[in-house]
Amino acid sequence: MDGPPTAETVRNYAGGTWRRPAGDEGRDVVNPATGESVGRVDFSSAGDVDDAVAAANEAFEDWSETAVEARIQPLFRLKRLLEGNQESLAETLVTEHGKTTDEALGEIRRGIENVEVACGAPSLMQAGHLPHAAPDIDETAVRKPLGTFLAVTPFNFPAMIPLWFLPYAVATGNTFVLKPSERDPFTAVRIAELVEEAGFPDGVVNVVHGGPDTVNRLITHDGIEGVSFVGSTPIARHVYETAAGAGKRVQAQGGAKNHIVVSAEADLEHAVEQTVSSAFANAGQRCLANPVAVVEDAVYEPFAEALVDATGDLTVGPGLDADTEMGPLVSAAHRESVLEYVETGVAEGGRLLLDGRERDVPGEGSYLGPTIFGDVDPDDALAREEIFGPVLALVRASDFGEALDVVNGSRFGNAASLFTRDGGEARRFRHEVDAGNLGVNVGTAAPMAFFHFGGAKESFFGDLHAQGEDAIRFYTDETVYIERWPDA
Ligand code: NAD
């Protein structure tokens, strides 16, 4: 045992003990607002991975037979601990990720919501019972835990996304291993400290740090029953195919390129306000961001003008400053990748209505101001590729039908939103648009935790989604008992 984690170096949390990962690789964790290192993440060795999975498998023996009412007690305590420590957790998160404090508090709140929903496991786990299903026969369906589940998570919501999985996995009687993003791993360390304080038995929740090799060892590990993954589409596809090929249950959420449709019937003021928030919150690094706005010709000019006015006012700066409305990108390397898209956009003839490259924020942070392109061709990279930064493309559509065609032309299907005051258009949008989360007069279509988090096309690989009832079904297997008592 190496003792509890320090602020500078991450520790794995496995079997109730803290250990420094023993692999050869690792990387610095950098504060994107300053460019300074805030610590280091060492990657796990094969032995670390095996130890964590073995601890989780061992804990499953008792945990799966612990009464569900007892299993949710540490979750109630975790909820209170997350609430009580949200400011310090947010500070850790902002320091390694860059988002604003309000955004960090918002994602922690969304994470807590999942803990709350999972506390309903005694009701949610009940399946069905039908007396007299056939002559003299009663049938009962029961949901049972399966073993140890893994979650592999991305950098952009380091508190919320692990909590899309952890509470449901353990409430249903499974044990859990988290492999958080190596770009901002300290938030997961802080959550693991709170998990320890909440009093889960040793081995029920485990955290192992690392990169692709760690993931690849875990997703084919004999001791792992199922895998939840969230990240970019190429890695989601790889994890889905590899883990499913190894016989695991898998849900893999991938990348996105979402659309807002602004109809000629929209309340333009509301549409502008929501579009700014949807495109630029979290510096555009959200799978539910809407970085493409498809605007009907009749309202294109007034919408574009009002949008540029509203966006130009956003205060860009360090996430810990109270007046900051948009923080830096997660890293200098990611900023370079976003800048390349901006330059390609200019080269492809995109009309820059707002050039974020001109925004000057003092210091070495990886800042890029909000950027808006007008009259983008739907076939251009700006409208098709996931940029994952504060870059919004406006596409002109001659009518509502053409706008829906642009949305459905995307290979991604995570989310889409419509702004309109016409109920008929809203109905058509709901029926015709192929995306997992649909918003009407809502800029960011983010479902509450008691609904599943949708995703379609190349944004999702699998069947059962995260959150809500889908999560309960993902983490359990259903057995049906068929009983006949001829003498009864
Ligand atoms: P990423 O795919 O680079 O990394 C995600 C995880 O995969 C990390 O834990 C990382 O260690 C691991 N990983 C990276 N390369 C790997 C490889 N070759 N083999 C095995 N594992 C590997 O994603 P990111 O940059 O951290 O996060 C941003 C992406 O996540 C965006 O594409 C975004 O749209 C997506 N995302 C999707 C959702 C959703 O709900 N669909 C939610 C949040 C983020």
Side-chain angles (χ1 to χ4, degrees), residues 449-462:
F450 21 87
F451 284 91
H452 73 265
F453 186 104
K457 300 202 274 191
E458 292 190 25
S459 297
F460 182 73
F461 304 89

Side-chain angles (χ1 to χ4, degrees), residues 121-402:
S123 303
L124 294 170
M125 276 189 81
Q126 293 178 30
H129 175 76
L130 188 62
H132 309 295
D136 295 330
I137 297 232
D138 300 339
E139 292 196 10
T140 308
V142 294
R143 293 193 173 132
K144 297 189 297 196
L146 286 151
T148 298
F149 277 83
L150 166 72
V152 177
T153 54
F155 80 85
N156 64 329
F157 286 95
M160 176 184 76
I161 293 183
L163 294 172
W164 278 354
F165 307 113
L166 183 161
Y168 303 99
V170 301
T172 47
N174 301 283
T175 54
F176 184 74
V177 177
L178 170 67
K179 203 304 283 174
S181 171
E182 60 273 43
R183 292 199 248 183
D184 43 16
F186 285 103
T187 303
V189 172
R190 290 285 296 119
I191 291 174
E193 289 174 328
L194 300 178
V195 161
E196 183 181 40
E197 206 178 328
F200 289 92
D202 293 348
V204 170
V205 177
N206 308 273
V207 180
V208 289
H209 297 277
D213 289 349
T214 318
V215 175
N216 290 328
R217 188 168 183 86
L218 280 162
I219 60 177
T220 52
H221 202 291
D222 283 347
I224 295 291
E225 281 295 325
V227 178
S228 304
F229 174 87
V230 183
S232 55
T233 288
I235 312 299
R237 184 184 279 115
H238 158 72
V239 167
Y240 182 73
E241 290 175 356
T242 310
K248 318 294 180 201
R249 191 175 273 218
V250 196
Q251 50 181 193
Q253 300 178 217
K257 185 77 172 181
N258 307 312
H259 297 74
I260 275 178
V261 172
V262 183
S263 136
E265 306 303 321
D267 171 342
L268 283 195
E269 200 180 319
H270 179 64
V272 165
E273 180 207 16
Q274 293 280 304
T275 303
V276 173
S277 146
S278 176
F280 301 114
N282 220 8
Q285 302 164 115
R286 289 200 298 180
C287 68
L288 290 182
N290 279 295
V292 185
V294 190
V295 188
E296 270 194 70
D297 212 15
V299 291
Y300 182 94
E301 297 301 342
F303 177 80
E305 197 179 315
L307 185 75
V308 171
D309 278 355
T311 310
D313 289 343
L314 286 182
T315 309
V316 181
L320 289 176
D321 285 4
D323 55 352
T324 293
E325 292 170 293
M326 196 182 97
L329 287 157
V330 70
S331 66
H334 187 51
R335 180 176 183 274
E336 282 310 307
S337 129
V338 175
L339 275 175
E340 264 179 47
Y341 278 107
V342 173
E343 269 136 37
T344 307
V346 173
E348 283 179 339
R351 205 155 56 86
L352 259 178
L353 304 181
L354 188 65
D355 189 348
R357 296 172 300 180
E358 291 168 357
R359 192 65 80 94
D360 189 23
V361 181
E364 300 302 312
S366 41
Y367 293 99
L368 176 66
T371 300
I372 301 177
F373 280 92
D375 288 305
V376 174
D377 186 312
D379 290 331
D380 285 352
L382 277 176
R384 300 192 68 80
E385 302 299 324
E386 181 175 44
I387 299 174
F388 224 52
V391 181
L392 173 62
L394 300 187
V395 173
R396 207 186 272 264
S398 58
D399 58 26
F400 188 65
E402 187 179 298

